[in-house]
Amino acid sequence: MNVKVQPDLMVICDKTGLRENSYCGTPALIAEIISSSNESHDRIRKYITYMEFGIKEYWIINPKLKTVEVYVLEEDEYKQNGVYKGCNSAVSQSFNGLEIRLEDIFPE
């Protein structure tokens, strides 16, 4: 099955799928920045698609609420690893040392 999506951010570990303007493969981590116009698309359609294709980690970044939700794929299903807000840092479960300080992406 050929499915095309355009995530806001993705981490690619397998470079063999890189093309000039696209990537053909399964990224290790995807982050989507949601807005009121695309929230259901990112929370439902893309969530299901990424889960079905085995994206190990999915982050949903909500600028309105200033939160980052981290989901980790376990036994073919996403489990919420955490909801980060305020002065916390969002931490990846797949990449040791990947930590995003929310103060850096949501300045007051």
Side-chain angles (χ1 to χ4, degrees):
M1 181 193 309
N2 188 8
V3 175
K4 289 185 181 184
V5 291
Q6 292 182 309
D8 294 314
L9 300 164
M10 65 180 163
V11 175
I12 298 169
C13 295
D14 179 9
K15 295 180 184 179
T16 59
L18 284 174
R19 307 293 182 263
E20 186 174 330
N21 293 313
S22 65
Y23 176 69
C24 191
T26 304
L29 183 150
I30 286 182
E32 293 287 357
I33 302 168
I34 63 171
S35 66
S36 56
S37 65
N38 73 353
E39 185 166 359
S40 64
H41 184 69
D42 290 342
R43 287 195 178 277
I44 299 168
R45 284 191 220 133
K46 284 187 175 181
Y47 178 98
I48 291 168
T49 300
Y50 296 157
M51 188 168 48
E52 287 175 349
F53 280 87
I55 307 298
K56 292 184 189 328
E57 196 165 332
Y58 181 40
W59 291 24
I60 297 177
I61 301 167
N62 188 329
K64 185 177 179 182
L65 298 177
K66 298 183 179 181
T67 60
V68 176
E69 299 169 40
V70 175
Y71 296 90
V72 177
L73 194 64
E74 293 178 10
E75 299 174 11
D76 298 326
E77 190 171 291
Y78 280 131
K79 305 284 190 228
Q80 189 178 66
N81 188 63
V83 177
Y84 302 93
K85 58 185 173 182
C87 60
N88 291 326
S89 293
V91 179
S92 172
Q93 296 303 299
S94 303
F95 297 95
N96 193 20
L98 175 58
E99 184 175 322
I100 307 294
R101 289 174 13 132
L102 271 62
E103 295 171 324
D104 292 339
I105 61 173
F106 302 127
E108 291 298 318

